[in-house]
Amino acid sequence: MKRRGVAILGSTGSVGTAALRVLARHPDRFRVSGLTAFANASLLAEQAAQFKPGMIGLVNNGVSSHAGWRGGVECLVDAARAPDADIVINAVVGAIGLDATLAAVRAGKRVALANKESLVMAGELVTDACRRGGGEIVPVDSEHSAILQCVAGRPHSEVRRVILTASGGPFRAWSPARLELASVSDALQHPTWRMGRKISIDSATLANKALEVIEAHFLFGFSYDQIEVVVHPQSVVHSFVEFVDGSVMAQLGVPTMELPVLYALTHPERIEDSGVPTFDPVDLSPLTFERVRADDFPALRLGVEAGRRGGAAPAVFNAANEQAVALFLEGRVTFGDIPRAIEAALDALDDLDGSSRDALISADTRSRAYVRELYRC
Ligand code: MG
């Protein structure tokens, strides 16, 4: 069997390290063609020694002088379009991942996408690039992996709606007054998933679920009216698909990213894997569901509205959120400021061009600048 080459962008993060644990169990099927990280040179060096990729890139190369390593943000695109990479796992955080996603699908590759931001900010460009280049996006996000598995090749016309599950984050039961001033360490305490800082904050504000609604729209072509969100604190049901006859499929599993990573590598096939913990419905009980507290977590509504508006609005939403989260993590704005910053940026920048990659990057830059200016940072 010819082993498939896998490049991992963001190999030292939570999805990247989960992907390497999966790949280490299947050396007969996959080899690591490239590894790139943002700044964690010591972990990247350990990974490189174990997996011996042809290309190693450190985006922030000022912190390392390892011989032969590539540096700068270009190393993401170089790893993504390298001829020996058949599959690109894009697990970079934020808008910085866009060019690598575009480069990989233009080169006809499969992108196992954890960098949902690239699809959110430029969904039309990415889907168009897939059509022209012959590439494909297979989601790593657990909710979208669930939808892909439930739909399982059935035609679009048979799906009535999808329901994305949301854990509700650490503040699911907090009062609005308490939410307003939640601390960084409170916000990083995710109840069910161990993740990086940015996505943990996005889960606490529910901005992550807004990104996922937009992601579902572009991945599967569902209208926004067909995509709903329900809170499911245990993160065991990864999403539901309701068909036109009223039947509902769900995909379940213990909350580990190794499962959706493995499926993104092997889709539509499944392979034997011993690494994922055994599913025990009694251990995982009870499974409960709640309505989203939409008024208390306005980032979800703002993001879905931006998705419906289209054009540059999703890019403005995403960039305002990234900037506001960065300021929150630096202790410069409150938790309650995050959705306010997003809303202000969307109101102020409501007529930007979103028709090209450069226009979207410009909208992204302007949205970040707007939020910094708003808080004089
Ligand atoms: Mg998710």
Side-chain angles (χ1 to χ4, degrees):
M1 184 193 315
K2 181 182 174 294
R3 296 193 303 160
R4 306 195 77 196
V6 181
I8 306 182
L9 316 183
S11 67
T12 58
S14 61
V15 172
T17 51
L20 285 171
R21 287 193 296 276
V22 170
L23 292 170
R25 296 198 291 268
H26 301 285
D28 52 326
R29 290 175 181 270
F30 303 106
R31 64 189 159 72
V32 176
S33 62
L35 290 175
T36 73
F38 187 74
N40 191 341
S42 57
L43 180 53
L44 181 61
E46 276 176 40
Q47 294 175 339
Q50 183 182 352
F51 292 94
K52 302 183 175 52
M55 195 209 131
I56 305 162
L58 188 66
V59 172
N60 184 5
N61 63 344
V63 298
S64 171
S65 56
H66 286 73
W69 286 21
R70 309 286 299 277
V73 72
E74 317 82 63
C75 74
L76 300 173
V77 170
D78 292 344
R81 67 179 169 203
D84 62 344
D86 301 300
I87 302 173
V88 177
I89 299 178
N90 189 347
V92 168
V93 179
I96 193 178
L98 172 61
D99 286 339
T101 297
L102 286 172
V105 294
R106 281 179 183 143
K109 300 177 192 297
R110 169 176 293 191
V111 175
L113 188 73
N115 175 249
K116 62 192 87 179
E117 294 92 337
S118 58
L119 200 53
V120 167
M121 72 182 291
E124 281 169 33
L125 286 185
V126 171
T127 42
D128 187 57
C130 286
R131 267 196 301 273
R132 290 165 187 257
E136 62 174 344
I137 303 278
V138 181
V140 167
D141 219 339
S142 58
E143 295 80 358
H144 305 77
S145 179
I147 293 168
L148 182 66
Q149 294 179 59
C150 292
V151 170
R154 297 307 305 160
H156 199 266
S157 57
E158 290 186 3
V159 176
R160 183 184 287 160
R161 63 181 175 139
V162 298
I163 306 172
L164 301 177
T165 53
S167 71
F171 305 144
R172 179 173 60 87
W174 284 34
S175 70
R178 199 172 162 217
L179 260 180
E180 175 64 36
L181 297 172
S183 73
V184 170
S185 63
D186 290 333
L188 291 175
Q189 298 301 316
H190 196 276
T192 48
W193 297 98
R194 295 276 80 83
M195 307 180 291
R197 286 157 66 85
K198 195 264 178 178
I199 188 172
S200 294
I201 304 301
D202 286 354
S203 296
T205 60
L206 295 196
N208 181 56
K209 213 47 59 175
L211 297 174
E212 292 184 353
V213 169
I214 301 171
E215 186 185 6
H217 168 77
F218 285 114
L219 275 174
F220 303 107
F222 302 131
S223 74
Y224 286 101
D225 288 339
Q226 288 178 288
I227 307 169
E228 295 178 17
V229 176
V230 69
V231 172
H232 169 46
Q234 297 84 17
S235 304
V236 170
V237 175
H238 297 310
S239 279
F240 299 96
V241 175
E242 182 185 61
F243 292 88
V244 288
D245 60 1
S247 183
V248 179
M249 305 275 283
Q251 186 262 341
L252 286 72
V254 290
T256 165
M257 287 311 292
E258 293 182 33
L259 205 51
V261 166
L262 176 65
Y263 187 72
L265 293 171
T266 65
H267 166 80
E269 294 170 22
R270 295 180 184 277
I271 63 170
E272 183 88 31
D273 185 83
S274 57
V276 172
T278 310
F279 180 81
D280 182 332
V282 177
D283 276 353
L284 294 166
S285 293
L287 301 182
T288 60
F289 301 91
E290 302 166 12
R291 307 267 174 234
V292 175
R293 289 166 54 201
D295 292 342
D296 298 331
F297 295 91
L300 174 57
R301 170 184 56 82
L302 292 167
V304 175
E305 282 172 9
R308 287 178 187 272
R309 209 178 305 161
V316 170
F317 169 81
N318 179 62
N321 178 54
E322 281 188 32
Q323 183 63 74
V325 169
L327 295 177
F328 173 67
L329 288 169
E330 290 166 16
R332 304 175 80 156
V333 303
T334 66
F335 187 78
D337 286 331
I338 297 173
R340 279 193 289 276
I342 295 169
E343 183 157 33
L346 283 167
D347 285 348
L349 305 170
D350 67 344
D351 59 348
L352 300 184
D353 176 25
S355 60
S356 68
R357 180 259 179 208
D358 290 352
L360 290 164
I361 295 291
S362 162
D364 176 283
T365 304
R366 287 187 61 184
S367 179
R368 286 168 203 269
Y370 181 86
V371 171
R372 285 195 302 272
E373 179 68 20
L374 191 65
Y375 294 101
R376 311 212 182 291
C377 295

